[in-house]
Amino acid sequence: MHQKILRLSPPLTLLIALISGASITLSFAPFNIWPVAIVGLVALALLLKEQSIKTILLRSFVFGVGFYSAGIHWIYVSIHNFGGASPLFAGFLVLIFACFMALVFSIPFYVFGRWFSHSRFSLIIALPALWLLGEWMRTWLLTGFPWLYLGYAHLDSFLAGWAPLAGVMGISFITMLTAGLIAEWIWHYKNESANKTLLVIATGCGVLLWGCGAIFKTITWAVPDATPIKIGIVQPNVDQSTKLSFDENSTITALNQLRDLSSDLWNNDWVVWPEAAIPTTLTYQEALPFLEEMNSKAAEHDAALFTGVIFADHKERKYYNSIAGLGQGYGFYHKRRLVPFGEYVPLENQLRGLIEFFNLPTSFIHLGPQDQHGLIAKGVRITPAICYEIVYPDLIAHAAKETQVLLNVNNLGWFLDSIQSKQFMQMAQMRALETGRYLVYSTNNGPSAIIDNHGKIISQSKSFTAQTFTGEIHAVKDWTPFMIYGSGPLVIFAALLLLGISIPRLLQQESKQEHKQENI
């Protein structure tokens, strides 16, 4: 079979790579067809085996272009609808971004081509290890863009059981290993001379990993408290263009809406409003009296109110995207991971003013301190995450060590009714599963949700409707293994795997060199 694969024409291989990369999107929400990703990864693995570095880089780059063009095409909505770019130019910018992410994506494949593509361990050890290291790299490189990780597709498969132990990237490793095993069997199909003993052993290990996942899925690593916490969530559904206008009349209308929607929720322990629910800065003349009124109302009913606000530090001339606790809710939290262009502009001096998209009225936010503590409500400590922060596995896992509940407030109105909101909630569910904590997930446009400690949605709202809903959560004090160790051991494990399969080859090369010198 491998001879037929090697004889494929270059244009055909690039087309297969592009389609295979694009198909991965079908494994994520809202489609949730996780086997599609394995099929696409099998195709990629077969296209890379026993190829030159140049060929591997080209094919992995084209795969990455398809991967990101399909997976994050929703960026077009914010660039065109709210950034003022024409449809053609907005599409061009999305393609440029997809190509940039494809370049980053292909970095580990240079290592694969340089040292591992011709190894008999290439697809079952090197490729899964390098895929894991690639996902880890994308969590921090240039502040990170940790989107489209393979593990997110497995919230409902047996592999979900690995999340509290190894996190989303551990599941990605097993997914790539599974694809690599299938690819190796295809590669050696009808090859009677191939030694398949190693492949049989590796396949047994792969089956064991899936089986362990099924067993781990039945275990509750962090046991919730018995006492329920009653939650009321307000979803105001304020139009994004209204939020960007900073118009006084619109602000007053939004504040009145929050007051009215919250009127029947004060009998709950917590009332939660979404990111930037107050559509102006905290020091605005209408905002402070309104918040004082809401603080009194919450305190009167012995309730905690948490709301997203824009905090203005006039002394330092800085603005923060924040969450404020009122009534029985205490604390102030400033966002620590900012969205490029939406909240700050990279290369600001060069890009400001070029097009409207680089001059959005919200792109003035400053980075919050990294050593902040969580929020508190009636003795329960809370890990706050504003929008984009919930997609960082280690950030949330580390912060959750000190807390018992996760709280995410966001505003996804930038992307209208695209697949972005579905992908985003899927990632939020993974954070609940990794940490064994309940998650209160509050959005401006919906769907908002209450997610349990197994990453399952207990209740949720409809999208693009102004509404409220209630539910119950439980505080969780125990730690999951992933909270204790994070992704660090996985990264070290992947590096050691690569080192382990490199040593025999290096020793062999050294032996050949010594033999050559002896002959001279």
Side-chain angles (χ1 to χ4, degrees):
M1 179 62 74
H2 67 282
Q3 292 297 331
K4 293 182 179 180
I5 296 171
L6 291 173
R7 287 197 298 266
L8 291 175
S9 67
L12 180 58
T13 60
L14 295 182
L15 179 61
I16 293 172
L18 185 69
I19 294 173
S20 299
S23 71
I24 305 295
T25 300
L26 295 175
S27 67
F28 302 117
F31 313 104
N32 297 311
I33 313 172
W34 61 261
V36 172
I38 294 179
V39 174
L41 295 170
V42 168
L44 174 66
L46 291 172
L47 291 176
L48 300 184
K49 189 172 176 65
E50 295 189 8
Q51 299 294 329
S52 66
I53 297 177
K54 182 179 178 180
T55 300
I56 288 172
L57 282 175
L58 178 59
R59 292 179 181 180
S60 63
F61 171 76
V62 172
F63 180 94
V65 170
F67 186 46
Y68 283 102
S69 294
I72 58 172
H73 68 272
W74 38 260
I75 293 176
Y76 170 90
V77 178
S78 64
I79 298 174
H80 171 57
N81 291 61
F82 304 109
S86 67
L88 186 61
F89 189 55
F92 173 73
L93 289 178
V94 171
L95 180 60
I96 290 297
F97 182 70
C99 289
F100 171 76
M101 288 305 304
L103 281 173
V104 175
F105 172 84
S106 63
I107 291 173
F109 294 95
Y110 169 81
V111 178
F112 180 80
R114 178 68 177 81
W115 285 286
F116 302 107
S117 68
H118 290 78
S119 167
R120 61 174 177 167
F121 304 102
S122 62
L123 303 187
I124 57 177
I125 296 181
L127 198 56
L130 287 166
W131 189 285
L132 188 154
L133 292 175
E135 287 194 348
W136 171 71
M137 177 183 67
R138 296 195 294 278
T139 63
W140 54 265
L141 184 67
L142 300 176
T143 74
F145 185 68
W147 218 274
L148 302 180
Y149 286 8
L150 297 177
Y152 288 122
H154 291 276
L155 271 174
D156 296 315
S157 82
F158 290 153
L159 294 187
W162 282 99
L165 291 92
V168 65
M169 286 182 276
I171 300 175
S172 296
F173 175 87
I174 300 173
T175 304
M176 189 68 247
L177 171 63
T178 303
L181 285 167
I182 296 172
E184 283 285 4
W185 280 110
I186 294 172
W187 186 267
H188 293 294
Y189 179 66
K190 290 187 176 180
N191 184 1
E192 301 297 335
S193 63
N195 184 354
K196 297 180 181 178
T197 303
L198 175 64
L199 193 51
V200 171
I201 295 172
T203 301
C205 292
V207 172
L208 182 63
L209 288 172
W210 280 80
C212 287
I215 296 171
F216 295 151
K217 199 172 180 180
T218 64
I219 299 174
T220 299
W221 299 93
V223 180
D225 290 345
T227 305
I229 301 169
K230 296 170 63 179
I231 306 295
I233 296 179
V234 173
Q235 182 177 292
N237 192 39
V238 177
D239 185 79
Q240 188 64 18
S241 58
T242 300
K243 280 183 167 290
L244 293 174
S245 69
F246 290 97
D247 176 72
E248 182 175 346
N249 291 331
S250 298
T251 297
I252 294 173
T253 300
L255 297 181
N256 288 334
Q257 182 194 36
L258 288 169
R259 180 189 290 112
D260 294 340
L261 288 172
S262 303
S263 60
D264 294 331
L265 297 179
W266 297 116
N267 62 324
N268 291 282
D269 295 303
W270 301 3
V271 177
V272 180
W273 297 348
E275 177 187 12
I278 310 299
T280 183
T281 64
L282 188 61
T283 54
Y284 179 68
Q285 59 182 353
E286 294 291 340
L288 278 178
F290 173 77
L291 287 174
E292 289 172 359
E293 175 193 344
M294 294 297 100
N295 181 59
S296 299
K297 179 71 71 172
E300 177 186 341
H301 289 82
D302 194 34
L305 170 62
F306 294 105
T307 179
V309 297
I310 302 298
F311 179 83
D313 185 339
H314 293 295
K315 183 178 180 181
E316 298 291 334
R317 295 184 179 181
K318 293 181 178 179
Y319 294 88
Y320 298 97
N321 191 353
S322 308
I323 301 176
L326 303 173
Q328 292 299 318
Y330 302 97
F332 229 106
Y333 173 78
H334 302 312
K335 191 175 182 182
R336 293 180 288 171
R337 296 290 188 278
L338 303 182
V339 179
F341 304 109
E343 292 175 316
Y344 79 99
V345 179
L347 304 174
E348 183 172 6
N349 293 334
Q350 289 75 32
L351 295 180
R352 283 281 190 195
L354 286 180
I355 60 172
E356 188 177 345
F357 179 66
F358 296 142
N359 199 34
L360 290 172
T362 55
S363 58
F364 54 76
I365 304 298
H366 285 78
L367 197 66
Q370 295 301 308
D371 58 348
Q372 298 176 73
H373 298 287
L375 306 170
I376 302 177
K378 296 184 176 182
V380 176
R381 298 189 66 86
I382 304 162
T383 293
I386 301 176
C387 193
Y388 187 59
E389 293 181 310
I390 200 69
V391 306
Y392 287 85
D394 288 281
L395 178 73
I396 301 302
H398 178 75
K401 289 180 180 180
E402 300 179 359
T403 65
Q404 291 87 51
V405 175
L406 306 181
L407 169 64
N408 178 231
V409 300
N410 61 65
N411 172 32
L412 306 180
W414 293 98
F415 308 103
L416 301 180
D417 190 21
S418 67
I419 65 173
Q420 191 268 357
S421 62
K422 288 78 174 179
Q423 292 179 352
F424 199 90
M425 182 179 284
Q426 190 175 53
M427 291 187 280
Q429 290 175 256
M430 183 61 74
R431 298 293 87 78
L433 181 57
E434 289 170 341
T435 61
R437 265 121 178 92
Y438 282 74
L439 168 62
V440 180
Y441 182 84
S442 173
T443 74
N444 174 49
N445 302 103
S448 303
I450 294 176
I451 299 167
D452 72 11
N453 56 320
H454 297 289
K456 303 299 182 183
I457 297 173
I458 300 173
S459 60
Q460 71 177 68
S461 64
K462 296 180 181 179
S463 296
F464 299 100
T465 59
Q467 65 177 106
T468 65
F469 72 102
T470 61
E472 291 184 352
I473 64 171
H474 296 263
V476 181
K477 296 179 182 178
D478 299 331
W479 292 359
T480 64
F482 182 71
M483 290 171 60
I484 298 172
Y485 302 110
S487 299
L490 279 174
V491 173
I492 296 171
F493 171 70
L496 289 176
L497 281 178
L498 296 175
L499 181 62
I501 63 176
S502 297
I503 289 175
R505 182 180 59 82
L506 294 174
L507 292 175
Q508 186 179 21
Q509 288 181 350
E510 184 178 348
S511 176
K512 287 181 178 179
Q513 186 66 25
E514 290 178 354
H515 182 68
K516 183 178 179 181
Q517 289 177 352
E518 288 176 1
N519 290 337
I520 294 174

